[in-house]
Amino acid sequence: MGYAELHCHSNYSFKEGASSVEELLVRARELGYPALALTDHDNLCGALHFAQVARSLDIQPITGTEITLKDGSHLTLLAATRQGYHNLCNLITYSYLNNRQNPSLDPQHLQDHAEGIILLTGCPKGQLCNLITERCNDEAEILLRQYRDWFGNANVFVELEQRLVWEDVRRNRRLAELAQKLGLGAVATNNVHYHLPERRRLQDALVAIRH
């Protein structure tokens, strides 16, 4: 079946993503991806455009977002159904209610808007990754069980990112062991922010502007 990227940012991740929807999708087609998820930070601004371009290239579009929680951690959420898309919209709206400049979501809203959504546990800035890195294994298991209770066994996946930096291998091994213990799947993602390595300098400049 090949690989499909499930954690990808376009320039709709403002002051962070360094490639357009078109550039990402053309590159995905060159790499033979059957599908691609767009998971821009705290918005669905590019979702319709992304879906239209993806279908024109015979790539399955997957609509999602990387949402920021109140503690600053991240979760990757993918819409699996029409109801899931509706719930994604609601969750993003809730995240902007208290602070329009720096959206953040109270995790309690997840429980009431889980239908039709697939949850990936997030990048190294995710709460589960943080707990595993800090060796808080019991707390990590409690958190993952909570996600499983809210979203269901079939809709929760432990996200593994290998960036070839310190701690990645050890963290991913522990995450995979925890997923296996709870009977959950694991998925590999790359937290993509640009379609070619040469765009890294642009991405660095955008992040510098944001800060």
Side-chain angles (χ1 to χ4, degrees), residues 139-156:
E139 291 89 340
E141 182 173 340
I142 290 170
L143 177 66
L144 193 53
R145 287 184 183 277
Q146 186 177 63
Y147 290 155
R148 187 181 66 178
D149 291 343
W150 289 350
F151 289 83
N153 264 52
N155 295 320
V156 175

Side-chain angles (χ1 to χ4, degrees), residues 174-190:
R174 291 173 181 162
L175 286 168
E177 289 171 352
L178 181 58
Q180 185 176 28
K181 179 178 180 179
L182 298 189
L184 298 173
V187 293
T189 69
N190 283 297

Side-chain angles (χ1 to χ4, degrees), residues 112-144:
D112 298 326
H113 297 84
E115 183 181 350
I117 291 179
I118 293 172
L119 179 146
L120 311 185
T121 54
C123 65
K125 291 185 179 179
Q127 189 176 6
L128 185 69
C129 282
N130 288 334
L131 290 171
I132 289 293
T133 299
E134 294 168 6
R135 301 179 184 272
C136 301
N137 296 330
D138 291 342
E139 291 89 340
E141 182 173 340
I142 290 170
L143 177 66
L144 193 53

Side-chain angles (χ1 to χ4, degrees), residues 22-33:
E22 288 87 352
E23 289 170 327
L24 291 165
L25 284 164
V26 168
R27 183 61 177 151
R29 186 179 184 182
E30 291 172 354
L31 293 170
Y33 289 8

Side-chain angles (χ1 to χ4, degrees), residues 19-48:
S19 293
S20 68
V21 163
E22 288 87 352
E23 289 170 327
L24 291 165
L25 284 164
V26 168
R27 183 61 177 151
R29 186 179 184 182
E30 291 172 354
L31 293 170
Y33 289 8
L36 182 69
L38 187 67
T39 57
D40 283 313
H41 278 294
D42 303 304
N43 75 71
L44 295 170
C45 296
L48 179 59

